[in-house]
Amino acid sequence: MIAVAIDGPAGAGKSTIAKKASEELGFIYVDTGALYRAVALACIDGNISIDDTPAVEKLLPGLDIRIIFFNGEQHILLNDNDVSERIREENVSMAASRVSAIPSVRGYLLDLQRDFAKRDNVIMDGRDIGTVVLPNAQVKIFLTASPEVRARRRVLQLEEKGMEADFDKILFDIVQRDYNDTNRKTAPLKPAENAVTVDTTVLTLDEVIEKIVSIIKEQTA
Ligand code: DC
């Protein structure tokens, strides 16, 4: 089995790039952020404060979080409901970043993530895939870009969907999430020792995909 780990900060384009690269290579793409988002959504729906760690921990055993692939797309099921759309809402992003700092939440999701890599060739994206989840991954990539460029891309994405976007607020949230994800005690965001860092600030999407696919091919040849 081949495992490719793509880690990096929020909005660096990991999911778009990992999805395209996995289509090209015939690998399964696993977006691990969706799992943290599902836990966050369960807290929001259950009126549980994310600061209340014991309450969040009490919720975990009752959760049924599954990833299924439907027409080649990843869908996330929370207690049998398809929450793939709801987990993308902005309040869920910040809640996911906060809930992901709780060590028992990370432990709860660990085996779920590792199981994917046992069954298929995978490209998995997240924050700690190369460092913690799949430390033996054959390829490790750290994808990054400046906060301003990441915020600008997010604005464009929202505008394309006909949604309103406030650049300053989005930039503020990105910087805040970077801080949370990098400074937490358990499995903080950082490049794995042997990761290749790809800075996409001045690259187009096609250039990044080409680069990533060629790194993967080179390192798994
Ligand atoms: O990739 P994303 O933006 O959908 O992830 C949402 C949050 O989940 C992110 O702010 C940090 C957390 N996360 C994590 O801690 N570890 C992962 N492997 C993936 C996501």
Side-chain angles (χ1 to χ4, degrees), residues 2 11 23 33 57 74 101 107 120 123 132 139 147 156 168 185 210:
I2 298 173
E23 276 165 18
E57 287 177 342
Q74 173 181 295
D120 290 288
I123 299 187
V132 176
V139 186
L156 290 176
D168 290 337
K185 286 204 178 71
E210 205 187 309

Side-chain angles (χ1 to χ4, degrees), residues 10 14 31-34 36-37 88 93 96-97 100 106 113 125-129 177 181 184:
K14 298 186 298 293
D31 160 16
T32 64
Y36 291 93
R37 287 171 181 268
R88 299 293 151 204
S93 303
S97 178
S100 71
R106 306 202 69 80
Q113 297 171 82
D125 86 23
R127 304 293 187 288
D128 62 337
I129 308 304
R177 279 219 282 153
D181 297 349
R184 67 175 176 233

Side-chain angles (χ1 to χ4, degrees), residues 45-105:
D45 285 352
N47 274 324
I48 289 166
S49 159
I50 289 165
D51 297 323
D52 187 350
T53 303
V56 175
E57 287 177 342
K58 222 168 121 194
L59 180 85
L60 295 176
L63 294 184
D64 177 15
I65 298 176
R66 269 176 289 154
I67 289 183
I68 56 163
F69 295 91
F70 185 65
N71 286 339
E73 288 280 318
Q74 173 181 295
H75 286 256
I76 183 123
L77 303 184
L78 171 61
N79 301 331
D80 289 328
N81 295 313
D82 189 337
V83 293
S84 315
E85 302 259 322
R86 286 189 65 212
I87 58 165
R88 299 293 151 204
E89 287 166 15
E90 215 50 52
N91 63 327
V92 180
S93 303
M94 195 58 80
S97 178
R98 291 173 53 217
V99 90
S100 71
I102 301 175
S104 48
V105 170

Side-chain angles (χ1 to χ4, degrees), residues 181-203:
D181 297 349
T182 312
N183 291 285
R184 67 175 176 233
K185 286 204 178 71
T186 313
L189 170 67
K190 64 170 181 203
E193 251 173 47
N194 44 352
V196 180
T197 294
V198 176
D199 187 329
T200 74
T201 304
V202 296
L203 299 177

Side-chain angles (χ1 to χ4, degrees), residues 8-14 127 145-146 149-151 153-154 174 177 200:
K14 298 186 298 293
R127 304 293 187 288
S146 75
V149 163
R150 288 186 276 136
R153 287 177 187 161
R154 178 82 186 131
I174 279 184
R177 279 219 282 153
T200 74

